[in-house]
Every structure is written in C-alpha cells, then in structure tokens.
Amino acid sequence: MSDQEFDLTVIGSGPGGYVCAIRAAQLGLKVAIVEKRKTHGGTCLNVGCIPSKALLHASELFDEANHGMSALGIKVSPQLDLKQMMKHKSKTVDSNVSGIEFLFKKNKIAAFHGTGKISKRGQVDVTDDKGKTTTIASKNICIATGSDVAQIPGIEIDEKRIVSSTGALSLSKVPEKMVVVGAGVIGLELGSVWRRLGSKVTVVEFLDRILPGMDKEVASQFEKILKKQGIDFKLGSKVTGVEKSNGATQVTIEPTAGGGAETIETDVVLVAIGRTPFTEGLGLEDLGVAKDNRGRVSVNETFETSVPGIFAIGDVIDGPMLAHKAEEEGVALAEMLAGQAGHVNYDIIPSVVYTYPEVASVGKSEDELKEAGIDYKSGKFPFMANGRAKANRQTDGFVKVLADAQTDRVLGVHIVGPMAGEMIGEAAVLMEFGGSAEDLARTCHAHPTLTEAIKEAALAADKRAIHI
C-alpha cells in the first residue's frame, strides 16, 4: 500500500521536470517530484547551464580587462582570483536551486529526495540515501531524468586530469594546457573559459568542422574567430588513447581518414563528445517501456510511452538536448494531463553557444533547406557595419536571414556575434507567428542597437539593405 497518492509524479527536477510539476500544480493537479540529488534543478542548474554561464561571464570580463579595456581608455592590471571566481559560480548555483525549492513550496508540490523507480504502473518507489523506501501512488508518471556525459570507450574520466563538463567547471587551478575532445557546444564553451583564463587549448573533433548541426557558413566564420582568439583545432581527427604519467597526460590522435598518429602532451583532457539519455535504475525494462536504437524513450504525440500512464520529456526522448526544449515539453504535458491542448513547435527551438562572441540559430539552416529542395533567399549583414557594434568594439560576425523565395516567410535566422543569444528571441517570435522577411524589415528598431543588424539582414534578403 502506498504512503501517498498523486495525480502526477515527476521523476527528475531538471528544467523539464520542475517546469512540468509547477505547471501541473497551477492547473490543479496534486503533484509530487522525485530528485536523486540533494538539490533540485538537475544537470542544468547544478553542473551545466547555470554554472558554466557564471564562468563564461567572469572569464569574458577578465579577458576584456586584460586585452580590451585599454583601447577604451581604461588602464587596468587584472589579477585572477580563481577561488573567488568559483565562489561566484557556487553562489549563482545556490541561488537558482534554492529558487526551485521555493517554487515547489509555493505551488504545494511534494518533493522527495532519493532514487526513483517505477515498480509498476501507477507506483513509484523512492529510496533515500539511508536506504529507506517511500512508495508513491500516482495516476500519471513523468520520466524527466535528463542525460549523462557520453564517454569514450577505454578512457576513464577521473574528474581531475581527464574531466567531463562537471569536472571542467571545478578545476582548482588553471591548466597550462588543455585538450578538448569534441567541438560541440559544451567543448567550445568550456574550452573558451579556460583559454581566456590562460590555458593553451587544443580542440580535437572527429568531423571536419565545428558545431555539427549548425549552419555551415556560421560555423566556418566562428572557427576563424576562435582561432584568432588562440584556440587550436585538430579537425577530422579522433582520439585513440589517453595515458597518464608523471603529472602529464599524453593524448594520441589520428586522422579519421587514415594516416599517422601524433601525441599531444597536456595537463587536462576535457571529454565533451555529447550526452546520452539517462534511464538507469528506473525499471523501464521490466515494465516494457520501449526505447529507440539510441537508448531514448519512445513516446507518442502526447509524450506517452508504450506503457499507458507513463510519460517522458526532455533529454530522455528524441530531439535536441536543450533545457528550454524540455521546459516546453513539460508545460505541454502538464496541460494535456489537465485536459488542455498542450503543444510544442519543434521547428522553432532556438539554439545558442554562449562563447564570445555568441552563436545562435532558430529554424532551418541553408543545408537543410537545400536538402529539402526548398527555394529560398538569403540576406546577410555584418556587425562591422553596425554602429553600436563599432562603438562597443564587437564587430566580429554577422546575421543571416533565410526566407522562402515565394512566400517570403522566414525559415531560419542564424547569428554569430555579440549578444546573439538575446537577439535570437526576436526571430523566434516572428517565426512563431509566420512572419516574413518584409515584416522584420519594416519593424522599427531602436538606434543604435545591435538588433538593427537583424533588420538589415531582412532587408538584404530583398537586396535592399541600407547600411552596406
């Protein structure tokens, strides 16, 4: 017999899980949430999105003080206090996770700390760190357990010399040399943090390009910017071995197309080759919950699994592993369970790389449009022609607007440049309402602002940009 009964029990309190729980509670459902960590927020708030952004921001300011302020007439001689920078990171995390706890109390959500297992349909067993098990009865169960670090076979992560993103957020000193395995979002973000703080960073990528999945032209331009900042790249290369000896670490790499191996000596190796769905210990196999060939939980259009009453959202299902995608799915599921019409528009999920400058995109890339045989037009505008960017000495990058050649409807927007992650929201709103490049071009933008580059790129799609 269960100890308590709920309308919905969410396993995992990351962005997907906690948002789902809050929205369901707002709609009148009796909600429980299960979290294996001692703090809520999942990977994102504890060891992912939030702490990495704290270090990215702090390291950008340090780099600017070292190399950029003198050109503005500000002379400073900054000294790095890594311990204080890490305190800032920890304080940021603490503030965010305590905020989630407050929201649970505000919305009368019952929070259980421990490992959750779906012992049978309608029942979740929660085992705490002392071995005590609490049984929860629930009409509906949502799996929101997120993802874990993908590992390279034969290379053991010790979070000291061979680290995942988690270890890379907590290094006790700046490594003289760092090898980053993987030129995706996580590798480039964390690699850029330590490069700015003084590391010599080399990025090894299996493919012949950085940021797989992003618009190729944007990725190519961004690679040039990162090289100019001092990051080295070994593209089209694979790591075949990592050996630790006498305080140094030897990384052996080979060309993916075949050829001779080379060895790079480094202090720290960051393994950032992606993430994998985390479903271990949930009891899904015993219940018969179906998964796809990549280990993701299979769901239908209402996020329900092959077992009625069990649902899944976020990183454990198909789609981009992004916190905001998980949030939207959490809201949609909660609304469906409450009898409303929840919906997620997967064509308009923004993606951002929080480096400096930032990279952001929403909608289709040029390659995707070409592959789909869609006739499109493209408009580009460089930040070097933007007045605010010039004033801020932030002229690297450009905005690209892709629109349907016949209807003029905006199909994709891609930005590499300052504050790209903030600016992409304008494009997302426009596209959500089916807006055209003409709509964007005729919308009055404040002057001088960086967002004028978006307006000019929309004008350029019709070959009538004003400032270039």
Side-chain angles (χ1 to χ4, degrees):
M1 185 174 179
S2 64
D3 300 309
Q4 299 189 54
E5 297 184 4
F6 297 89
D7 297 313
L8 171 65
T9 296
V10 182
I11 305 176
S13 69
Y18 85 73
V19 168
C20 180
I22 291 171
R23 184 63 183 131
Q26 288 176 341
L27 293 168
L29 300 184
K30 186 179 180 183
V31 182
I33 195 154
V34 179
E35 174 55 55
K36 67 179 182 179
R37 282 188 172 93
K38 292 183 178 180
T39 55
H40 297 293
T43 296
C44 179
L45 272 67
N46 287 276
V47 291
C49 317
I50 299 303
S52 65
K53 302 313 166 283
L55 292 184
L56 281 159
H57 178 64
S59 65
E60 285 169 16
L61 292 178
F62 179 72
D63 192 59
E64 180 71 6
N66 260 321
H67 305 293
M69 287 188 175
S70 59
L72 301 174
I74 305 171
K75 294 187 176 182
V76 293
S77 299
Q79 291 183 323
L80 176 63
D81 184 345
L82 185 60
K83 188 175 181 180
Q84 178 59 36
M85 191 177 288
M86 290 299 175
K87 283 184 179 179
H88 160 67
K89 178 206 69 174
S90 297
K91 186 176 180 180
T92 303
V93 170
D94 291 344
S95 175
N96 278 273
V97 299
S98 63
I100 302 302
E101 186 175 353
F102 165 77
L103 291 172
F104 286 164
K105 290 177 180 177
K106 174 187 174 183
N107 289 281
K108 298 179 173 59
I109 295 167
F112 297 84
H113 286 279
T115 301
K117 179 179 180 180
I118 308 173
S119 50
K120 62 180 182 180
R121 283 176 56 183
Q123 183 171 300
V124 178
D125 293 337
V126 184
T127 304
D128 65 20
D129 55 6
K130 295 180 181 178
K132 180 184 176 182
T133 298
T134 300
T135 300
I136 300 171
S138 190
K139 294 177 185 177
N140 303 288
I141 298 169
C142 173
I143 301 165
T145 46
S147 58
D148 200 0
V149 174
Q151 300 195 31
I152 302 173
I155 298 177
E156 182 181 354
I157 293 175
D158 58 20
E159 299 298 13
K160 294 179 181 178
R161 289 162 64 182
I162 304 175
V163 301
S164 68
S165 55
T166 301
L169 289 167
S170 301
L171 297 179
S172 59
K173 64 178 182 178
V174 178
E176 184 178 336
K177 298 177 183 178
M178 172 181 277
V179 169
V180 178
V181 186
V185 175
I186 296 171
L188 295 182
E189 286 187 354
L190 293 178
S192 68
V193 165
W194 294 105
R195 197 286 307 165
R196 285 192 288 265
L197 297 181
S199 291
K200 176 177 172 53
V201 175
T202 301
V203 178
V204 181
E205 169 57 45
F206 186 85
L207 301 177
D208 62 357
R209 54 163 293 179
I210 70 171
L211 294 178
M214 282 274 191
D215 184 272
K216 277 188 178 180
E217 184 181 19
V218 167
S220 177
Q221 176 72 14
F222 187 50
E223 182 188 338
K224 294 176 183 177
I225 293 171
L226 293 178
K227 284 181 177 178
K228 188 168 65 173
Q229 292 178 1
I231 294 180
D232 293 329
F233 289 93
K234 300 281 187 181
L235 302 180
S237 301
K238 59 183 177 181
V239 173
T240 57
V242 177
E243 297 290 337
K244 295 183 289 185
S245 63
N246 300 324
T249 303
Q250 309 287 336
V251 182
T252 303
I253 65 173
E254 296 178 4
T256 55
E262 69 172 299
T263 300
I264 302 174
E265 185 173 293
T266 188
D267 300 294
V268 173
V269 178
L270 165 59
V271 178
I273 59 171
R275 300 184 65 84
T276 58
F278 183 82
T279 58
E280 182 181 343
L282 289 172
L284 304 188
E285 292 76 16
D286 294 338
L287 292 163
V289 174
K291 298 181 184 178
D292 65 16
N293 58 5
R294 295 178 60 182
R296 299 172 298 196
V297 178
S298 299
V299 296
N300 61 18
E301 65 278 0
T302 64
F303 304 103
E304 192 166 32
T305 70
S306 56
V307 177
I310 300 178
F311 302 82
I313 61 171
D315 286 4
V316 295
I317 69 172
D318 188 17
M321 289 183 170
L322 298 170
H324 44 283
K325 175 257 196 186
E327 289 183 9
E328 295 304 311
E329 291 173 339
V331 169
L333 173 58
E335 292 177 348
M336 290 175 187
L337 292 176
Q340 297 186 4
H343 173 69
V344 179
N345 185 352
Y346 288 102
D347 289 330
I348 306 177
I349 303 289
S351 180
V352 183
V353 187
Y354 294 92
T355 46
Y356 181 83
E358 294 179 346
V359 181
S361 68
V362 64
K364 302 296 184 183
S365 67
E366 287 202 63
D367 285 337
E368 289 172 327
L369 293 175
K370 289 174 182 176
E371 187 176 340
I374 297 173
D375 190 15
Y376 69 94
K377 54 186 178 180
S378 173
K380 289 195 301 181
F381 189 81
F383 282 105
M384 67 174 63
N386 175 270
R388 183 65 184 275
K390 288 180 179 179
N392 294 355
R393 299 182 71 251
Q394 297 174 321
T395 55
D396 282 337
F398 61 88
V399 178
K400 177 161 64 174
V401 172
L402 305 174
D404 188 286
Q406 278 72 49
T407 67
D408 197 40
R409 182 173 181 169
V410 174
L411 303 174
V413 175
H414 306 272
I415 308 172
V416 53
M419 304 296 288
E422 303 297 330
M423 290 193 287
I424 202 66
E426 175 181 357
V429 171
L430 176 93
M431 293 170 65
E432 191 66 54
F433 287 90
S436 66
E438 177 79 2
D439 293 327
L440 191 52
R442 289 195 177 275
T443 299
C444 184
H445 286 64
H447 174 77
T449 60
L450 298 172
T451 59
E452 288 178 286
I454 299 178
K455 174 187 176 78
E456 289 278 0
L459 285 166
D462 196 34
K463 296 180 173 55
R464 56 191 182 96
I466 300 296
H467 290 94
I468 193 171

